[in-house]
Amino acid sequence: MDLLSPGSVQYAQNSDDDGYLSDEDASAIYGTDTQVISDDPLELLNRFVFAFNEALDVILIRPIAVTYRDLFPDPVKDSVRNFLRNLSTPVVLANDFLQGNPDRASDTAARFFINTAFGLGFFDPASELGHPYHDEDFGQTMASYGVGEGAYLVLPVLGPSSLRDTGGRVVDMFFDPLTYLLNGDEARKVSIARSGLRGIDFRARNIENFDEIAEDSVDPYARFRSLWRQNRQYQIENRDNQIEGID
């Protein structure tokens, strides 16, 4: 399964019996035809990478996630997630401004100040003060200006993406101060460590959810593709039921 990419699972209303939207239901909600939602010109390659990611998950990622979930108490896991979110603030803030959303930018800036000053980045008093967390990236920014998704992609280890969002990942690197504070090799290592830890945290919070999808789906690849696209649309539209992980 494509597990290191938060956003692979989305619970939604109007779902079918197993709790997830079908492509047809998604078509009705988003006002697009099923052919567009199902379009996957790189499907053969994507399925190969998906199979690789599934094997990697069984052999390595899931066992690590289970150990992480069982070994550390919830407050420790929450602190890890809060710290990772705090580190991502410059990227989120830059995209808030680029999307012309000063209210969300204000929330992001307030969260960074409050959580850094009073929680050292490990705690989240800002949420209790009315500044909830939200995530933004350059892929969402491009989408807000009408840039289409492009071909659906499954990236090795990182999981579901698209041509637009893969390009957005590269741009977001230039919004991250650590790119400039560290030399190239150090920045690369820190980026890999952050992505890995974020992915393991996300996987640990969704062990049963992913297991359920794998067991109940005739075609897990198609189901994960549909779920990812649905959640990505929620993120672009800034809907409250988007997820960065299961809280």
Side-chain angles (χ1 to χ4, degrees), residues 209-235:
N209 294 329
F210 282 118
D211 289 348
E212 181 182 336
I213 295 172
E215 292 171 2
D216 295 345
S217 299
V218 175
D219 185 355
Y221 169 83
R223 178 52 59 87
F224 273 98
R225 179 184 61 196
S226 178
L227 295 173
W228 180 83
R229 280 175 158 161
Q230 291 164 42
N231 189 63
R232 195 60 177 154
Q233 190 65 30
Y234 286 134
Q235 291 175 330

Side-chain angles (χ1 to χ4, degrees), residues 4-224:
L4 291 192
S5 177
S8 297
V9 177
Q10 176 63 54
Y11 289 96
Q13 295 177 344
N14 302 317
S15 58
D16 54 22
D17 290 341
D18 60 5
Y20 303 99
L21 287 170
S22 65
D23 281 343
E24 291 78 6
D25 291 331
S27 173
I29 292 172
Y30 300 134
T32 55
D33 60 47
T34 305
Q35 182 178 1
V36 173
I37 291 178
S38 305
D39 184 39
D40 186 358
L42 302 176
E43 182 170 352
L44 184 61
L45 174 62
N46 284 335
R47 284 185 179 273
F48 176 80
V49 179
F50 181 83
F52 168 80
N53 287 348
E54 277 193 313
L56 185 65
D57 181 68
V58 171
I59 295 170
L60 183 64
I61 297 174
R62 189 182 188 281
I64 292 175
V66 170
T67 301
Y68 174 79
R69 183 190 64 176
D70 295 343
L71 185 62
F72 295 101
D74 288 343
V76 173
K77 295 194 289 285
D78 289 342
S79 293
V80 169
R81 182 174 59 174
N82 290 333
F83 184 74
L84 293 172
R85 285 177 170 180
N86 211 48
L87 285 179
S88 71
T89 298
V91 174
V92 176
L93 184 61
N95 284 290
D96 283 335
F97 279 121
L98 288 173
Q99 292 174 33
N101 200 324
D103 291 337
R104 287 167 73 86
S106 177
D107 270 338
T108 300
R111 283 183 57 81
F112 183 74
F113 173 76
I114 294 170
N115 288 347
T116 301
F118 301 103
L120 300 178
F122 292 99
F123 303 97
D124 187 15
S127 290
E128 298 179 9
L129 295 175
H131 303 287
Y133 171 79
H134 68 270
D135 194 12
E136 295 290 347
D137 56 63
F138 196 70
Q140 294 176 59
T141 297
M142 287 190 286
S144 73
Y145 286 98
V147 178
E149 175 186 284
Y152 175 71
L153 294 175
V154 179
L155 302 177
V157 183
L158 296 175
S161 189
S162 67
L163 286 177
R164 178 193 63 208
D165 294 335
T166 300
R169 285 177 180 267
V170 177
V171 176
D172 283 333
M173 291 173 57
F174 293 97
F175 295 150
D176 189 344
L178 291 180
T179 301
Y180 309 99
L181 294 175
L182 304 174
N183 65 44
D185 197 42
E186 290 176 339
R188 199 161 37 248
K189 291 178 181 177
V190 169
S191 177
I192 292 172
R194 284 167 57 182
S195 296
L197 186 54
R198 186 183 182 202
I200 292 300
D201 179 75
F202 173 78
R203 184 65 176 95
R205 296 173 187 272
N206 290 279
I207 290 170
E208 288 77 13
N209 294 329
F210 282 118
D211 289 348
E212 181 182 336
I213 295 172
E215 292 171 2
D216 295 345
S217 299
V218 175
D219 185 355
Y221 169 83
R223 178 52 59 87
F224 273 98

